Amino acid sequence: MSDSKPSKLDGAQGRLLELSQERGVSLSRLSTLLERNPSYLQQFIRKGSPRKLEEGDRLILARFFGVAESELRDDVPPVTEKSYKGLPTGPQRDWIEVARLDIEAAAGPGTLPGTEAAFDTIRFSRRWLAEQGLEGAQLSAITVKGDSMEPLLRDGDQILVDRREQPFRDGIHVVRLGDTLMVKRVTRVGAGRLMLLSENASYPPIDIAADEVQVIGRVVWKGGRI
């Protein structure tokens, strides 16, 4: 069944259809991701049945697309940031709301991940993301915890993580080692092995088999207090 766009849609239905078309993923595949009937999301968009997505479904889709769960709800009023009142504003499609996840990536000994639920968003210009080569990226924002990546990343910094599946290349990555989520400089050191490096010389490197660590995504931006 085709996922071609019907008459103009607003709200959660329109946003879901927009996201699916931007990322090139069919509604039937997304329905399967939710462990629903393949026609579930097509019925939601075309016939309004169900009238709204269940919270669990919204969370799964928001994490998949790297957006805030609120983008898939119709009962959330738009956020107005008064400090930007004097700036020119464009259509909503000119901006991407990147979900801030309720987890911390340890830049130190390590920390257990939290709920991984979005609790806030950071808005980025779609044009700026495209200029950074991040158009269509699956982005999430998380908080750095600890001092092992100083001075590059400091405790409390926000980092933008690109979770797209792509060929590995050396750089700063968020990785999961067992139950621990960390941000490290990751480099290949031979067949089937990776080195997890800290910027802070007080922390020794970690030489580990590649199949013992999961690379969550590449860190592509940071922000924090001066």
Side-chain angles (χ1 to χ4, degrees):
M1 186 179 293
S2 171
D3 289 343
S4 59
K5 187 173 182 178
S7 57
K8 183 178 179 180
L9 295 170
D10 296 316
Q13 293 166 307
R15 183 58 177 142
L16 177 58
L17 185 60
E18 180 183 45
L19 287 168
S20 69
Q21 293 176 340
E22 285 179 354
R23 306 294 169 81
V25 57
S26 68
L27 296 174
S28 58
R29 180 185 167 193
L30 293 172
S31 297
T32 302
L33 175 69
L34 301 177
E35 299 184 353
R36 300 279 191 173
N37 183 291
S39 63
Y40 174 71
L41 289 178
Q42 291 201 33
Q43 295 292 325
F44 167 66
I45 287 177
R46 296 174 180 276
K47 297 184 178 181
S49 177
R51 293 183 61 186
K52 65 178 182 179
L53 296 175
E54 294 183 5
E55 181 180 3
D57 291 343
R58 292 196 305 267
L59 287 172
I60 291 172
L61 291 169
R63 292 174 189 170
F64 178 83
F65 288 118
V67 301
E69 177 264 347
S70 59
E71 292 192 31
L72 301 175
R73 295 172 57 186
D74 289 319
D75 57 345
V76 179
V79 176
T80 301
E81 174 52 66
K82 294 181 179 179
S83 64
Y84 292 93
K85 187 174 181 180
L87 296 178
T89 59
Q92 182 68 26
R93 63 178 180 270
D94 291 342
W95 301 90
I96 295 290
E97 298 278 354
V98 174
R100 292 180 65 197
L101 301 184
D102 189 19
I103 55 176
E104 294 176 335
T111 187
L112 293 176
T115 62
E116 300 191 25
F119 71 97
D120 194 7
T121 63
I122 301 179
R123 176 178 285 192
F124 289 88
S125 157
R126 187 185 297 273
R127 177 178 176 179
W128 181 85
L129 290 173
E131 291 171 351
Q132 305 304 312
L134 298 174
E135 187 172 16
Q138 294 184 17
L139 300 171
S140 300
I142 61 178
T143 303
V144 174
K145 182 70 173 178
D147 65 354
S148 78
M149 292 301 289
E150 290 186 356
L152 179 63
L153 300 175
R154 300 185 181 277
D155 185 62
D157 279 354
Q158 296 292 309
I159 54 176
L160 199 60
V161 183
D162 183 1
R163 299 178 288 104
R164 285 179 293 185
E165 291 188 11
Q166 50 191 325
F168 175 84
R169 56 192 176 95
D170 294 356
I172 309 298
H173 294 268
V174 172
V175 300
R176 192 189 301 274
L177 184 57
D179 290 330
T180 302
L181 202 67
M182 298 185 289
V183 56
K184 297 292 180 186
R185 184 178 298 278
V186 184
T187 183
R188 292 190 188 276
V189 291
R193 300 200 69 80
L194 296 174
M195 188 75 75
L196 309 184
L197 302 169
S198 300
E199 298 293 294
N200 186 336
S202 299
Y203 292 82
I206 302 172
D207 187 343
I208 192 168
D211 59 5
E212 294 182 14
V213 62
Q214 179 187 3
V215 178
I216 302 298
R218 185 179 184 88
V219 178
V220 294
W221 176 89
K222 70 167 184 175
R225 293 176 64 93
I226 296 176

